């Protein structure tokens, strides 16, 4: 008995050891839901102590989502003797859950459940992750098939799989695609080298990415963003290729539309700039055709105009482009068949004035017409119309269809070219008539000293030229006790017989406003008298004679005579243009000279009569007459020069300001375009091979960096021109006829600026060195315009002397002019102008300041320059002008003016 008990104890200890050392979770539970016994693995697995696990029903440790299935499994165990398998999640002490797989059976007599559990958390999480990956792959496959064109090819490129999206976009059925290679959808857009590079990349097992233009079965084109991934075998060699494409056709079309809008915007800006430039009609139109050929893919573009006298077509400009270059058409022989073609176009356009757009044109002998291998062109032509009159045609040949935006822009360009042509013709006609008027007036001044005839001619010519209702000359007289205004000459529109004459004295009560205006030398410009606030007396005078628009330009002679040219309109408002005002100012200058001449004639006659009775004064009178004549001639010369300088400065200033003002916008637009280009390079780093080749061909990096320098140099150039224009205006000094305090150095610098083209480089390598040794001078009270004339005469003579010495090769010394200024004896300023020329012989130096004396050849000098300079310095300023020189030792002019 003791032996049997001992064996039982040993067996019990053996089972207890097996129970405690098992790697599985072993447990015994009662039917009431509590654990009775647990092996130590439970504590190691879940973290709970045995007491904690046994203190609560085991169902409380089960995950809430698994409790229902666990209770059902427990019920099945208590009702069956077979083992039951199930899985659930158990709560750990740290709050996490672990998956357990159960094998359990019941001992019904004892109402106990014996169970073995195993931790399957790692396997369960792997299974969940695998299922998630499968679902994600299914979703990815669905997304690819829904939104991408997917194809699989073997290693030779034959298609073995094509999804529905590929078939739908390419318009081929799956049966038509399988077994074919991708040449079936080749559009021909890409080069052979493009696809060679593709195959070279993927055959190495590398991924290739790029944009491809394909051709669908129905002939339409579509763009795809393509990713080709090689599938490698165990040796690392590709055995098939997976191609995933995204349809980007709409994006490419949008990009092309954006590029076209940008290109057309640049074209419109360039054409506008070309039309705003100065030059002849042919030059301006040639610039337009050059610009059009640069921005549009053309074979040929030309512009014809109707010759205004014969009404025949005349080729004004044209450009002929081949695949390599574009060249200008200089005359009709460059395009012998253009007249036949143009006449056919005219036949249609003269009737309906309608544009021809994208008309297909077959040319039998294209090599004679356009020197091109193509014989079918798209032809477009646009009429140049001004005020419903056809004045010309612009025609274009292209190998491609023009888009609707291009057509609209070409219509706009044609309208602007027509307006520009009409403006140029009108300007040429106005200039021609203006020159004719000024020549006639100058001829009258020189052929007649009768002031009445000259004024009568002037008012008639002005009225006819400007097509106004009335033009008259009004003179101011202050000789009487009461100043008065008198209309001495008048021209009226012959087609308006109701216009009342205005000749005679102007009543004093109606002349106060005009008198003030004439005395202040201000001009009046009234476009519409109803919208102008005028003095009562002026308004009364205008109302009496029915004047609706008025222009008044004062005339003042050197002798002090005051008058005005008055232009009036009586049939509505009248806009007085700047060119008309400029013309009338030139006429007023001529009339001022005429008044001086007439008075000079009167004075000459009086002097001649006095000389007959007073023989002893004959020499003095003749000398004064000679001086007066020289002054008038020089005054006329300088007046014309001043007018020319002011006009040139004004005409240059406008386009230069336009260019200078637009350089900042050009720089801004360039920065924006460069930013756009960089964005493209950033987001599309692999460009089309054609774009890459062209960027390399034009050296894009060089253009980008050089354009900054180019814009900077253009800005420096325009700034230089503006400085020259300012110098011209300062030199002319129309507003400085009276004495005023000025800086002498500014006058010298402006004179040097005017003569810059001569002393810097006269064409024979003269390159004179100008050495300025300026002293510290105060402002000088003088006549600045006349003093500038002195500097001009002396510096011109110095340059002539150095140039003559250089031509005769009598010296190897570098030519130079020294200009030295200083204060002399406290009350005088001295300007010394010294050259290292050949000097002046004694017999010539003694006669330098005699009127009409000159050593220059006929036509090169008048002999008045130094004579007038002497009068300006000595008589006008009370100074000293002298010359010291020795032959072969250079010359020095001493100009001394009181401070």
């Amino acid at each position: 008995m003791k032996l049997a008990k001992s064996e039982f104890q040993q067996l019990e200890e053996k089972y207890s050891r097996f129970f405690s050392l098992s790697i599985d979770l072993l447990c015994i539970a009662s039917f009431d839901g509590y654990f009775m016994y647990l092996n130590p693995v439970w504590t190691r697995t879940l973290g709970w102590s045995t007491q904690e696990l046994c203190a609560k029903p085991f169902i409380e440790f089960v995950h809430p989502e698994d409790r229902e299935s666990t209770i059902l499994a427990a019920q099945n165990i208590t009702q069956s003797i077979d083992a039951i398998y199930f899985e659930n999640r158990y709560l750990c002490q740290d709050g996490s859950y672990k998956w357990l797989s159960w094998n359990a059976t019941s001992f019904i007599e004892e109402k106990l459940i014996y169970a073995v559990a195993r931790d399957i958390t790692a396997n369960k999480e792997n299974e969940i992750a695998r299922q998630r990956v499968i679902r994600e792959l299914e979703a990815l496959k669905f997304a690819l098939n829904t939104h991408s064109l997917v194809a699989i090819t073997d290693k030779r490129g034959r298609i073995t799989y094509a999804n529905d999206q590929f078939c739908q976009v390419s318009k081929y059925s799956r049966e038509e695609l399988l077994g074919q290679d991708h040449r079936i959808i080749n559009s021909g857009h890409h080069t052979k080298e493009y696809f060679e590079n593709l195959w070279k990349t993927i055959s190495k097992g590398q991924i290739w990415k790029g944009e491809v233009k394909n051709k669908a079965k129905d002939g339409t084109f579509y763009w795809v963003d393509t990713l080709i991934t090689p599938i490698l075998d165990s040796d690392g060699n590709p055995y098939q290729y997976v191609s995933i494409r995204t349809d980007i056709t709409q994006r490419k079309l949008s990009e092309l539309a954006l590029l076209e809008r940008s290109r057309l915007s640049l074209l419109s800006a360039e054409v506008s700039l070309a039309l705003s430039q100065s030059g002849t009609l042919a030059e301006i139109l040639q610039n337009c055709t050059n610009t059009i050929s640069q921005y549009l893919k053309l074979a040929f573009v030309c512009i014809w105009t109707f010759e205004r006298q014969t009404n025949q077509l005349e080729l004004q400009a044209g450009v002929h482009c081949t695949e390599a270059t574009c060249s200008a058409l200089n005359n009709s022989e460059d395009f012998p068949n253009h007249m036949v073609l143009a006449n056919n176009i005219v036949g249609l356009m003269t009737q309906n004035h309608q544009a021809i757009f994208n008309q297909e044109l077959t040319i039998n002998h294209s090599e004679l017409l356009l020197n091109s291998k193509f014989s079918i062109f798209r032809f477009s032509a646009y009429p140049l119309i001004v005020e419903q009159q056809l004045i010309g045609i612009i025609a274009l040949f292209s190998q491609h269809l023009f888009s609707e935006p291009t057509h609209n822009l070409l219509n706009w360009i044609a309208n602007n070219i027509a307006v520009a042509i009409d403006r140029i013709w009108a300007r040429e006609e106005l200039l021609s008539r203006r020159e004719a008027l000024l020549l006639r007036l100058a001829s009258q001044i020189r052929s007649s000293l009768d002031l009445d005839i000259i004024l009568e001619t002037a008012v008639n010519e002005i009225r006819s030229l400007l097509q106004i209702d009335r033009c008259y000359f009004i003179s101011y007289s202050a000789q009487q006790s009461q100043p008065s205004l008198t209309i001495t000459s008048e021209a009226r529109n012959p087609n308006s017989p109701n216009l009342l004459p205005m000749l005679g004295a102007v009543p004093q009560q109606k002349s106060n406003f005009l008198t003030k205006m004439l005395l202040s030398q201000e001009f009046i410009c009234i476009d519409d008298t109803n919208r102008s606030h005028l003095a009562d007396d002026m308004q009364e005078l205008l109302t009496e004679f029915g004047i609706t628009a008025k222009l008044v330009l004062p005339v003042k002679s050197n002798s002090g005579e005051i008058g005005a040219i008055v232009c009036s309109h009586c049939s509505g408002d009248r806009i007085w243009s700047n060119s008309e005002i400029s013309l009338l100012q030139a006429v007023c200058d001529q009339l001022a000279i005429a008044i001086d001449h007439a008075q000079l004639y009167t004075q000459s006659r009086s002097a001649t009569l006095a000389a007959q009775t007073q023989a002893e004064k004959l020499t003095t009178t003749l000398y004064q007459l000679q001086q007066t004549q020289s002054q008038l001639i020089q005054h006329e010369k300088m007046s014309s020069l001043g007018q020319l300088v002011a006009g040139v400065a004004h005409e240059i200033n406008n386009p230069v300001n336009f260019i200078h003002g637009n350089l900042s916008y050009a720089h801004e637009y360039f920065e924006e375009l460069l930013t756009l280009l960089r964005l493209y390079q950033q987001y599309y780093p692999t460009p089309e091979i054609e774009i890459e080749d062209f960027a390399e061909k034009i050296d894009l990096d060089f253009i980008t960096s050089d354009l900054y320098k180019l814009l900077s140099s253009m800005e420096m150039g325009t700034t230089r021109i503006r400085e020259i224009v300012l110098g011209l205006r300062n030199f002319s000094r129309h507003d400085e006829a009276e004495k005023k305090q000025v800086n002498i150095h500014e006058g010298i610098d402006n004179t040097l600026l005017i003569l810059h083209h001569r002393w810097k480089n006269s064409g024979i390598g003269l390159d004179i060195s100008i050495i300025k040794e300026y002293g510290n001078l105060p402002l000088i009270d003088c006549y600045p315009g006349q003093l500038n004339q002195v500097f001009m005469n002396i510096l011109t003579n110095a340059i002539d002397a150095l140039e003559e010495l250089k031509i005769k090769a009598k010296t190897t010394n570098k030519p130079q002019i020294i200009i030295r200024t200083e204060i002399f004896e406290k009350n005088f300023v001295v300007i010394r102008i010294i050259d290292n020329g050949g000097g002046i012989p004694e017999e010539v130096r003694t006669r330098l300041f005699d009127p009409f004396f000159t050593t220059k050849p006929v036509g090169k000098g008048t002999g008045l320059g130094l004579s007038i300079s002497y009068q300006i310095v000595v008589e006008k300023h009370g100074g000293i002008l002298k010359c010291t020189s020795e032959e072969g030792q250079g010359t020095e002019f001493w100009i001394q003016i009181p401070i």
Side-chain angles (χ1 to χ4, degrees):
M1 184 68 181
K2 289 181 179 180
L3 179 61
K5 185 176 180 180
S6 176
E7 290 177 353
F8 178 79
Q9 288 177 347
Q10 292 176 2
L11 183 62
E12 184 177 6
E13 289 175 1
K14 185 183 296 184
Y15 283 125
S16 176
R17 191 164 50 250
F18 172 78
F19 193 81
S20 61
L21 295 177
S22 173
I23 62 174
D24 291 327
L25 288 80
L26 305 180
C27 69
I28 300 174
S30 63
F31 280 10
D32 60 2
Y34 285 85
F35 287 117
M36 300 294 294
Y37 185 77
L38 299 170
N39 68 341
V41 179
W42 281 86
T43 299
R44 291 197 302 270
T45 302
L46 300 179
W48 302 104
S49 66
T50 303
Q51 291 76 14
E52 289 173 329
L53 290 170
C54 294
K56 297 179 182 180
F58 59 74
I59 197 67
E60 292 187 14
F61 294 95
V62 177
H63 193 283
E65 295 180 0
D66 299 338
R67 288 178 181 176
E68 184 177 350
S69 62
T70 301
I71 292 173
L72 181 61
Q75 291 175 354
N76 291 336
I77 293 171
T78 59
Q79 297 172 6
S80 173
I81 60 174
D82 296 326
I84 301 297
Y85 176 82
F86 64 97
E87 296 175 353
N88 61 11
R89 285 166 286 182
Y90 253 66
L91 178 66
C92 300
Q93 190 182 30
D94 60 5
S96 63
Y97 285 89
K98 288 191 175 181
W99 279 94
L100 302 178
S101 65
W102 294 86
N103 275 301
T105 186
S106 66
F107 193 53
I108 297 176
E109 290 80 359
E110 296 180 358
K111 293 186 179 181
L112 296 176
I113 299 174
Y114 293 85
V116 178
R118 179 166 293 176
D119 185 359
I120 61 170
T121 303
N123 294 337
K124 199 69 176 178
E125 288 177 350
N126 291 336
E127 177 64 21
I128 292 172
R130 188 175 66 84
Q131 293 296 330
R132 184 171 62 251
V133 170
I134 291 173
R135 289 194 299 271
E136 290 174 353
L137 289 175
E138 290 294 334
L140 178 61
K141 181 179 178 182
F142 176 78
L144 285 174
N145 285 325
T146 303
H147 300 288
S148 300
L149 291 72
V150 181
I152 301 176
T153 68
D154 59 20
K155 64 181 180 180
R156 288 183 294 179
R158 289 195 298 266
I159 300 173
T160 59
Y161 171 79
N163 71 342
D164 294 338
Q165 190 72 8
F166 188 5
C167 298
Q168 179 181 347
V169 174
S170 68
K171 306 294 192 301
Y172 287 100
S173 66
R174 187 172 286 102
E175 291 74 16
E176 291 174 315
L177 292 172
L178 295 179
Q180 300 288 335
D181 59 26
H182 280 81
R183 282 194 290 267
I184 192 174
I185 55 173
N186 189 356
S187 64
H189 175 77
H190 305 285
T191 63
K192 180 181 178 182
E193 291 75 17
Y194 186 80
F195 290 109
E196 287 178 350
N197 179 63
L198 183 155
W199 275 103
K200 184 178 179 181
T201 301
I202 63 177
S203 62
K204 292 179 179 179
Q206 299 174 356
I207 295 175
W208 183 90
K209 189 177 186 306
E211 295 179 352
V212 181
K213 183 179 182 181
N214 290 331
K215 183 178 181 181
K217 183 179 180 180
D218 61 0
T220 59
F221 296 96
Y222 63 96
W223 282 87
V224 287
D225 191 355
T226 304
L227 177 70
I228 302 177
T229 303
I231 307 299
L232 309 180
D233 58 19
S234 58
D235 297 327
N237 297 319
Y239 69 91
Q240 67 179 10
Y241 303 99
V242 177
S243 173
I244 301 175
R245 302 178 179 90
T246 303
D247 189 351
I248 58 171
T249 304
Q250 291 304 317
R251 192 198 77 194
K252 294 295 288 188
L253 292 177
S254 299
E255 290 176 357
L256 293 174
L258 179 62
L259 288 174
E260 182 181 26
R261 286 198 297 271
S262 176
R263 177 168 50 84
L264 295 181
S265 297
L266 289 173
L267 172 57
S268 64
E270 291 284 350
V271 169
S272 298
L273 180 60
L275 293 176
S276 67
Q277 301 299 310
S278 60
T280 64
L281 177 62
E283 291 171 345
I284 293 174
L285 295 183
Q286 186 63 51
N287 288 338
C288 289
T289 56
N290 291 340
T291 301
I292 293 171
S293 67
Q294 290 173 8
Y295 286 92
L296 301 179
K297 293 182 178 179
L298 299 173
F300 175 80
V301 56
C302 66
I303 299 175
W304 295 283
T305 59
F306 285 105
E307 208 283 321
R308 285 178 287 179
Q309 279 72 34
T310 63
N311 207 33
Q312 295 295 317
L313 274 179
E314 180 180 1
L315 179 66
Q316 292 290 351
V319 174
H320 167 210
C321 293
T322 63
E323 294 180 352
T325 60
C326 291
S327 57
L329 298 174
N330 296 319
N331 52 55
S332 59
E333 294 181 1
D334 291 336
F335 182 31
N337 297 323
H338 82 284
M339 288 304 299
V340 176
L341 177 61
N343 288 329
N344 292 335
I345 302 168
V346 172
L348 297 173
M349 289 190 174
T350 51
Q351 298 176 8
N352 53 27
H353 291 184
Q354 296 298 315
I356 298 173
F357 181 51
N358 281 339
Q359 178 177 316
E360 187 174 293
L361 184 67
T362 302
I363 303 172
N364 295 329
H365 300 287
S366 59
E367 69 280 358
L368 298 177
L369 184 64
L370 298 169
N371 190 24
S372 172
K373 62 182 181 181
F374 298 99
S375 59
I376 297 178
F377 291 87
R378 298 292 177 174
F379 172 71
S380 299
Y382 299 86
L384 307 179
I385 299 174
V386 174
E387 296 180 353
Q388 300 182 349
Q389 181 181 0
L390 184 67
I391 65 170
I393 296 168
I394 178 172
L396 309 97
F397 286 91
S398 174
Q399 297 164 9
H400 307 281
L401 290 171
F402 286 147
S403 65
E404 191 66 27
T406 303
H407 172 57
N408 295 334
L409 178 61
L410 287 172
N411 260 322
W412 178 86
I413 289 174
N415 292 334
N416 280 269
I417 288 176
V419 172
I421 292 172
D422 185 63
R423 184 179 67 248
I424 293 171
W425 283 351
R427 185 177 63 202
E428 290 175 351
E429 183 176 357
L430 179 62
L431 290 175
S432 176
R433 297 180 66 184
R434 171 180 173 172
E435 291 173 359
L437 173 60
L438 291 177
L439 286 174
R440 283 195 296 270
L441 288 176
S443 176
Q444 286 286 350
I445 291 171
R446 286 167 174 76
S447 63
S448 173
L449 292 176
D450 190 332
L451 186 59
D452 293 336
I453 296 177
I454 295 173
L455 294 177
E456 194 69 27
T457 302
V459 295
N460 278 285
E461 292 289 349
I462 292 171
R463 196 217 64 77
S464 175
L465 178 63
L466 301 185
Q467 290 296 297
I468 52 179
D469 292 329
R470 190 195 308 267
C471 180
Y472 54 88
F473 182 82
I474 187 169
S475 64
Y476 170 81
S477 175
Q479 301 299 326
Q480 304 173 3
S481 58
Q482 184 69 38
S484 62
L485 294 180
T486 305
I487 298 175
T488 59
S489 301
E490 180 185 27
R492 288 174 289 163
N493 187 353
N495 297 323
S496 301
N498 295 327
L499 293 177
L500 298 175
M502 298 181 66
L503 289 172
V506 179
Q508 182 179 353
Q509 64 273 18
K510 299 178 182 179
S511 64
N512 291 333
F513 181 81
L514 277 175
T515 301
K516 293 178 182 178
M517 184 276 301
L518 291 178
L519 292 176
S520 62
Q521 289 293 289
E522 296 178 359
F523 82 95
I524 299 175
C525 181
I526 303 173
D527 296 329
D528 186 354
T529 57
N530 295 325
R531 294 197 296 267
S532 301
H533 301 287
L534 302 173
D536 293 339
D537 60 338
M538 186 66 176
Q539 189 66 53
E540 183 180 353
L541 181 64
L542 297 178
T543 303
E544 178 181 350
F545 292 95
I547 297 172
T548 58
K550 195 177 190 70
L551 181 65
V552 182
L553 286 97
V555 178
K556 183 177 181 180
S557 67
N558 287 333
S559 60
E561 294 294 325
I562 298 175
I565 288 289
V566 182
C567 300
S568 301
H569 208 59
C570 302
S571 52
D573 58 346
R574 171 68 155 80
I575 305 300
W576 307 101
S577 67
N578 290 334
S579 61
E580 292 172 338
I581 295 173
S582 176
L583 168 63
L584 293 179
Q585 287 174 336
V587 172
C588 290
D589 290 341
Q590 295 289 338
L591 289 178
I593 296 171
I595 294 171
D596 284 337
H597 278 200
Q599 290 188 344
L600 175 62
Y601 175 70
T602 303
Q603 292 171 4
S604 299
R605 290 184 61 187
S606 300
T608 302
L609 292 175
Q612 291 176 353
T613 58
Q614 300 179 4
E616 67 279 4
K617 296 182 181 180
L618 179 59
T619 303
T620 302
T621 303
L622 289 176
Y623 176 78
Q624 292 176 348
L625 178 60
Q626 190 178 49
Q627 295 296 316
T628 306
Q629 287 175 331
S630 65
Q631 283 181 338
L632 288 174
I633 294 171
Q634 188 69 9
H635 178 270
E636 180 178 1
K637 173 184 174 183
M638 295 308 296
S639 175
S640 300
L641 176 61
Q643 183 70 24
L644 174 63
V645 167
V648 169
H650 177 74
E651 291 297 327
I652 292 176
N653 200 41
N654 286 336
V656 167
N657 282 340
F658 172 82
I659 295 171
H660 191 79
N662 280 311
L663 281 177
S664 61
Y665 296 106
H667 191 276
E668 179 182 348
Y669 296 157
F670 167 67
E671 287 289 348
E672 292 175 352
L673 290 175
L674 186 58
T675 301
L676 176 62
L677 177 61
R678 287 171 177 163
L679 287 174
Y680 267 98
Q681 291 174 337
Q682 178 181 348
Y683 292 103
Y684 302 98
T686 307
E688 301 284 343
I689 191 68
E690 183 178 354
I691 297 175
E692 195 171 22
D693 289 345
F694 186 72
E696 183 177 354
K697 177 181 177 181
I698 65 175
D699 196 352
L700 183 59
D701 292 337
F702 171 76
I703 289 178
T704 302
S705 62
D706 194 57
L707 192 51
Y708 283 110
K709 302 174 184 175
L710 211 149
L711 289 172
S712 177
S713 64
M714 291 172 65
E715 188 170 3
M716 291 173 60
T718 54
T719 301
R720 174 61 180 158
I721 295 174
R722 295 172 75 186
E723 291 173 355
I724 293 174
V725 168
L726 180 61
L728 290 172
R729 295 174 61 185
N730 289 339
F731 179 81
S732 63
R733 292 184 180 269
H734 286 298
D735 56 340
E736 297 180 7
E738 301 297 329
K739 251 190 175 186
K740 62 185 297 186
Q741 289 192 340
V742 298
N743 187 338
I744 290 293
H745 295 155
E746 288 183 0
I748 297 173
D749 289 340
N750 287 330
T751 307
L752 288 173
L753 181 62
I754 300 300
L755 295 173
H756 182 275
H757 69 288
R758 293 206 58 202
W759 61 263
K760 191 62 180 174
N761 189 352
S762 63
I764 60 172
L766 197 56
D767 197 15
I768 300 172
S769 296
I770 303 295
I771 301 174
K772 301 177 183 178
E773 298 178 358
Y774 290 169
N776 187 14
L777 304 183
L779 298 179
I780 307 303
D781 191 25
C782 64
Y783 297 93
Q786 297 183 18
L787 207 55
N788 284 350
Q789 182 179 345
V790 174
F791 299 149
M792 173 71 79
N793 290 335
I794 295 176
L795 286 169
T796 299
N797 287 339
I799 294 171
D800 289 343
L802 292 171
E803 187 176 37
E804 181 181 1
L805 191 65
K806 183 72 174 180
I807 293 173
K808 293 180 179 180
K810 290 185 177 182
T811 181
T812 58
N813 294 334
K814 180 175 177 59
Q816 70 176 19
I817 297 175
I818 300 174
I819 304 175
R820 185 176 297 140
T821 62
E822 57 189 342
I823 296 178
F824 182 70
E825 295 180 353
K826 296 184 180 180
N827 296 322
F828 295 89
V829 167
V830 172
I831 302 99
R832 299 165 63 188
I833 300 175
I834 309 163
D835 66 68
N836 62 345
I840 303 174
E842 177 66 22
E843 63 272 19
V844 174
R845 187 163 50 83
T846 57
R847 300 187 59 193
L848 278 180
F849 303 112
D850 291 349
F852 305 104
F853 174 77
T854 180
T855 60
K856 297 178 181 179
V858 176
K860 191 169 183 180
T862 62
L864 293 175
L866 291 178
S867 174
I868 296 297
S869 299
Y870 186 87
Q871 293 177 22
I872 292 172
V873 174
V874 177
E875 298 178 12
K876 294 281 282 189
H877 291 87
I880 297 173
L881 176 61
K882 61 183 179 179
C883 172
T884 58
S885 176
E886 292 183 15
E887 192 168 2
Q889 299 299 318
T891 303
E892 175 181 345
F893 277 89
W894 174 289
I895 306 169
Q896 179 177 318
I897 298 175
I899 296 177

